[in-house]
């Protein structure tokens, strides 16, 4: 069974993505709130899962999103 998940937070400068943070997530979570995002900055996310064997590779990069407020 999954024992943990990590969300990786990327920001963009033009087309360049830079890892700017991570957030630990409960194993049973199907969604997560990420606070502290800056308005009009561009973000994307990946996720990895952890179990007794180890941690998976990160998922593919999500679609880009921009907080409006």
């Amino acid at each position: 069974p999954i024992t943990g998940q990590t969300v990786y937070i990327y920001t963009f400068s033009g087309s360049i993505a830079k890892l700017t943070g991570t957030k630990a997530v409960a194993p049973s979570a199907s969604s997560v709130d990420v606070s502290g995002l800056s308005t009009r900055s561009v973000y994307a996310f990946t996720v990895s899962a952890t179990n007794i064997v180890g941690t998976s590779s990160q998922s593919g990069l999500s679609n880009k999103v921009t907080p409006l407020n």
Side-chain angles (χ1 to χ4, degrees), residues 8-58:
Y8 299 84
I9 305 160
Y10 292 86
T11 55
F12 283 83
S13 177
S15 62
I16 307 297
K18 179 181 177 184
L19 179 64
T20 54
T22 60
K23 180 172 179 126
V25 181
S28 60
S30 59
S31 65
V32 61
D33 290 327
V34 178
S35 60
L37 302 179
S38 298
T39 304
R40 298 190 184 123
S41 292
V42 179
Y43 295 91
F45 307 90
T46 64
V47 66
S48 67
T50 302
N51 65 18
I52 196 167
V53 176
T55 300
S56 70
S57 300
Q58 292 180 36

